[in-house]
Amino acid sequence: MVAAASVVVAVGTTTGLISALDGGPDPTEAGPSEKTRSVRLDALPVAPSASPSPTASPSASASPSPRRTASATPSKTPERTRRAAPVSTGLYRHPDSQVQEWVRDHPGDPRYAVIQSRIAAQPAAVWFADFTPDTITARVRAVTSAGAAQGRTPVVVPYVIPDRDCGGYSEGGAPGLAAYDAWIDRFAAGLGSGDVVVVLEPDSVAQSECLSAGERAARFASLARAGRVIKSANPRARVYYDAGHSGWHTPARQAGWLRQAGAASAASSDGVFSNVSNFHTTAAEIAYDRRVLDALGGGPGLGAVIDTSRNGAGAPPDGEWCDPSGRKLGRAPTLATGEARIDGYLWVKLPGESDGCKGEPGTFTASYAYELAR
């Protein structure tokens, strides 16, 4: 994926537990570094498991996108009229994930306590990255019903858009947009009626430069339709669209594409997400997301969610995207940020799942997880 988001291992879902704790202020940030490139893998089992990977920088096939300098201190924009917070502000942690499996299998490992308490105990997104129309409704329903039973809000990530990752590590997805539209219908049918956050198709907007103008317009039409279908199926679903990250496109350019993809319409969108599988600091993302939202328009109800899973030390200065050393966990997942127009800090990419350099792409690597967590 170009200057984008992640290496997912395509398969199904990922993890999540509930943690409403805010991890506190981010470490000092050096400001956005160059775009990092993020790859994605493909996935795990037919139950929850695929999760994205790193950061973003333009892929070899895509034309480089302009870099923008984001201010290290988010501007304090006045509080606007906001939607009411979800009834269940605690986030749901899904019990089936690679880190949960590692913890169960390695109780005597000297890294166990750190990985268990700092990663496995946190709520994270559940990815649906394999094109399995016959089982997708039941698999989504298993996650959303479990969250509802606990009074927790699940975060789910549909990642099956055709030509995803522009033929990169996470290539794959639905065989075409008609098949994708039908898959989304079945995905939405599993969302239930409770609170749920939907991170809709990472990289699908920010990395669309690899498509022709006609292909891009068709993709954006399908994304707009997807948001409408999801919100029609469950009016309490919060749908967020791909804003890339602060080291990629300019806010005006990203907002123009987002508008075409339906992100400015209340019928399909609750706002944008950024930094999926990336490393840019929370402060840089807050400033960037507010500028995107201002350029997007669509009313004061739109907000943003930020992936803080691996951004505790900011992006590496050399722009490395593949399991870069010296990174740290970011703020703990929460839907109570205290920041105007920032609806949540989420762990969309599960820390410890490799981008392909410290382990096999998309697989949990204990040494990498420990490095991030310690």
Side-chain angles (χ1 to χ4, degrees):
M1 61 192 358
V2 171
S6 62
V7 170
V8 170
V9 173
V11 171
T13 28
T14 266
T15 176
L17 198 202
I18 144 180
S19 156
L21 300 177
D22 185 335
D26 280 82
T28 304
E29 85 171 74
S33 62
E34 358 183 326
K35 309 175 285 283
T36 7
R37 159 196 175 132
S38 107
V39 238
R40 293 178 168 285
L41 324 174
D42 278 357
L44 301 178
V46 177
S49 132
S51 100
S53 114
T55 149
S57 93
S59 69
S61 62
S63 55
S65 45
R67 220 168 49 225
R68 76 171 279 274
T69 305
S71 106
T73 306
S75 59
K76 289 290 181 180
T77 58
E79 183 67 64
R80 308 186 181 201
T81 304
R82 300 295 302 283
R83 301 178 306 273
V87 173
S88 52
T89 55
L91 289 164
Y92 170 68
R93 184 191 67 182
H94 189 55
D96 293 329
S97 69
Q98 294 185 78
V99 66
Q100 300 288 352
E101 181 179 352
W102 184 90
V103 166
R104 287 192 293 266
D105 293 346
H106 297 83
D109 192 291
R111 300 164 295 189
Y112 172 90
V114 169
I115 291 174
Q116 193 283 328
S117 63
R118 301 212 61 201
I119 297 178
Q122 297 294 338
V126 179
W127 288 67
F128 297 88
D130 54 337
F131 182 70
T132 52
D134 293 341
T135 61
I136 188 61
T137 301
R139 288 165 50 207
V140 174
R141 183 178 294 124
V143 173
T144 56
S145 61
Q150 294 181 17
R152 302 289 179 177
T153 300
V155 178
V156 295
V157 185
Y159 183 58
V160 182
I161 197 78
D163 300 314
R164 67 182 183 196
D165 202 20
C166 292
Y169 286 86
S170 296
E171 63 183 338
L177 288 174
Y180 176 75
D181 292 346
W183 185 89
I184 280 290
D185 291 346
R186 295 185 179 195
F187 175 91
L191 290 174
S193 58
D195 294 319
V196 60
V197 172
V198 181
V199 175
L200 181 63
E201 298 292 343
D203 294 343
S204 60
V205 178
Q207 200 180 14
S208 63
E209 282 182 308
C210 66
L211 305 176
S212 69
E215 290 169 337
R216 189 181 304 122
R219 171 183 284 190
F220 290 169
S222 273
L223 289 171
R225 177 190 181 276
R228 293 193 301 271
V229 167
I230 289 168
K231 292 186 74 64
S232 176
N234 179 356
R236 289 170 68 178
R238 302 265 174 126
V239 182
Y240 295 91
Y241 281 73
D242 171 35
H245 60 66
S246 60
W248 204 347
H249 301 299
T250 65
R253 185 182 200 192
Q254 190 66 31
W257 284 342
L258 283 162
R259 199 173 300 111
Q260 295 175 53
S265 169
S268 54
S269 171
D270 291 276
V272 302
F273 64 83
S274 72
N275 209 43
V276 167
S277 298
N278 222 302
F279 302 90
H280 293 278
T281 62
T282 302
E285 292 305 300
I286 289 172
Y288 169 73
D289 287 342
R290 285 173 176 163
R291 292 183 64 188
V292 170
L293 290 168
D294 286 344
L296 179 62
L302 298 183
V305 294
I306 298 168
D307 186 354
T308 60
S309 60
R310 306 188 298 180
N311 74 342
D318 62 358
E320 177 58 58
W321 60 266
C322 186
D323 301 337
S325 297
R327 303 311 96 197
K328 300 194 298 186
L329 301 178
R331 298 189 184 197
T334 180
L335 294 177
T337 70
E339 290 283 352
R341 306 202 82 181
I342 307 301
D343 295 344
Y345 303 135
L346 306 175
W347 282 13
V348 183
K349 165 72 175 181
L350 183 62
E353 291 192 1
S354 175
D355 303 328
C357 292
K358 294 186 177 177
E360 290 297 315
T363 60
F364 181 78
T365 305
S367 58
Y368 182 37
Y370 184 68
E371 180 183 332
L372 289 166
R374 67 183 176 181

